[in-house]
Amino acid sequence: MIQDKSKGAKQALLERPWFLVVALAGLLGGAMLITSFIRATDNTLSLCSTAKNTAASIAEYSATPIQLQSIVHYATSQTVPQQSFEEISISLNVLKERLPCNFLVFGLGRDSLMWASLNPGGTTVFLEEDPEWIEAVLKDAPSLRAHHVQYRTHLSEAGRLLSTYKNEPMCLPAKAFPIRYNEKCPLALTSLPDEFYDTEWDLIMVDAPKGYFPQAPGRMAAIFSSAVMARNRKGDGTTHVFLHDVDRYVEKSFANEFLCEKYKVNSAGRLWHFEIPNAANMTDQPGDRFC
């Protein structure tokens, strides 16, 4: 009887969404501690090791303040990330390979502290259209870097924008960049903070703006501008673009048009992962289409 109750309690715990987050944080923390111990031991056994090197090794694998804040935050509140464990794992795997990196996230939400903590030493920036929501989130996590942005589009325009964008030469891949000054293309984001234009982003997460009622901005411009920025990357490597809510028609349609099926490398649940090379490394470079 006691054993049955114990099994029932364990099953109930595993079914809670936040338990997955806490478990992930625990695994990451444990891995850092174990690695620290191994590195410290190796340094002690080495003839060239010193106390200074051992201390530096431990510090290298110590949790950062924002990681500690993230663990406490998710362990002590009912707040859970919007994405599933499988969806988060896709981005996490890329972050582990690229960090520290430049990570741009469209949207400020319940998972923002998690994303920032998974990029220690890197630059993680959030773009959000709701100023009141920014104030609410930063009240609990003031260390996050968030900018208020305004969009020129409405979700109700999505069909027209998709069918007519080729009629505007400044919307075509050969002329769309730099998007900072591209006022003629309605899909170009021209009023974002300087940091958006001056940074080469290694990862871009499109999980905003709102896209579930006609007057919402929709994610058309975010998807288009992400594709343009990725194609015009000057540094080494590719740009990883993650698009959430691909179960919706607009997200799926604009992803297929601008991010391209041939660059999709992974997916889980409602998340698609694209790895986009710059234009110089594309096998074909059409000037009148993205895909």
Side-chain angles (χ1 to χ4, degrees):
M1 185 71 175
I2 295 176
Q3 185 176 7
D4 292 341
K5 288 184 178 179
S6 177
K7 290 182 179 180
K10 181 181 292 186
Q11 182 64 28
L13 182 61
L14 291 172
E15 290 176 353
R16 295 187 180 183
W18 58 262
F19 180 79
L20 296 176
V21 179
V22 176
L24 175 61
L27 289 173
L28 291 174
M32 287 190 292
L33 290 174
I34 292 171
T35 308
S36 298
F37 177 78
I38 294 173
R39 287 288 297 274
T41 303
D42 289 343
N43 283 341
T44 301
L45 295 175
S46 172
L47 294 176
C48 299
S49 67
T50 64
K52 182 178 180 180
N53 288 338
T54 302
S57 177
I58 295 174
E60 179 183 353
Y61 289 95
S62 296
T64 64
I66 196 168
Q67 288 176 325
L68 296 174
Q69 181 186 358
S70 179
I71 292 172
V72 173
H73 173 76
Y74 292 111
T76 59
S77 72
Q78 298 298 318
T79 300
V80 295
Q82 291 98 319
Q83 296 185 23
S84 68
F85 183 85
E86 291 74 18
E87 293 168 342
I88 292 171
S89 296
I90 290 179
S91 306
L92 174 61
N93 289 335
V94 177
L95 279 166
K96 288 191 295 185
E97 293 178 359
R98 298 293 291 267
L99 63 81
C101 63
N102 296 326
F103 186 16
L104 178 70
V105 183
F106 285 89
L108 186 69
R110 298 191 297 268
D111 52 6
S112 297
L113 190 58
M114 177 192 69
W115 291 129
S117 69
L118 292 178
N119 186 26
T123 298
T124 306
V125 175
F126 301 90
L127 304 178
E128 172 61 43
E129 80 268 22
D130 187 343
E132 294 183 359
W133 179 241
I134 293 177
E135 183 178 353
V137 173
L138 294 187
K139 183 178 180 181
D140 294 329
S143 61
L144 296 178
R145 298 174 62 176
H147 296 288
H148 174 234
V149 298
Q150 294 180 312
Y151 295 89
R152 298 190 288 165
T153 59
H154 296 293
L155 185 65
S156 58
E157 305 170 315
R160 177 182 61 81
L161 290 170
L162 188 61
S163 62
T164 63
Y165 83 91
K166 291 182 180 179
N167 297 333
E168 172 50 63
M170 297 304 291
C171 287
L172 301 180
K175 295 184 177 181
F177 190 84
I179 59 176
R180 186 202 303 250
Y181 311 110
N182 193 352
E183 297 289 346
K184 290 186 177 180
C185 180
L187 287 170
L189 295 175
T190 59
S191 59
L192 298 186
D194 291 341
E195 187 173 25
F196 172 78
Y197 307 106
D198 297 338
T199 304
E200 283 209 335
W201 302 103
D202 303 301
L203 284 75
I204 302 176
M205 174 73 70
V206 182
D207 205 359
K210 297 181 181 70
Y212 51 86
F213 58 94
Q215 292 307 308
R219 299 181 186 172
M220 302 85 70
I223 295 171
F224 173 85
S225 296
S226 296
V228 172
M229 295 284 283
R231 291 173 63 94
N232 288 276
R233 180 186 182 89
K234 299 298 187 293
D236 295 333
T238 57
T239 303
H240 294 266
V241 179
F242 306 92
L243 176 61
H244 199 225
D245 296 320
V246 294
D247 56 319
R248 301 194 303 211
Y249 174 77
V250 169
E251 278 79 356
K252 182 179 295 185
S253 299
F254 276 73
N256 288 331
E257 184 71 20
F258 299 111
L259 300 177
C260 310
E261 175 70 25
K262 62 184 176 182
Y263 298 134
K264 188 169 73 172
V265 295
N266 209 342
S267 66
R270 296 179 294 136
L271 183 88
W272 282 355
H273 169 205
F274 299 85
E275 190 171 349
I276 303 177
N278 60 23
N281 291 318
M282 290 183 174
T283 54
D284 56 344
Q285 301 180 48
D288 61 343
R289 57 188 173 86
F290 283 82
C291 302

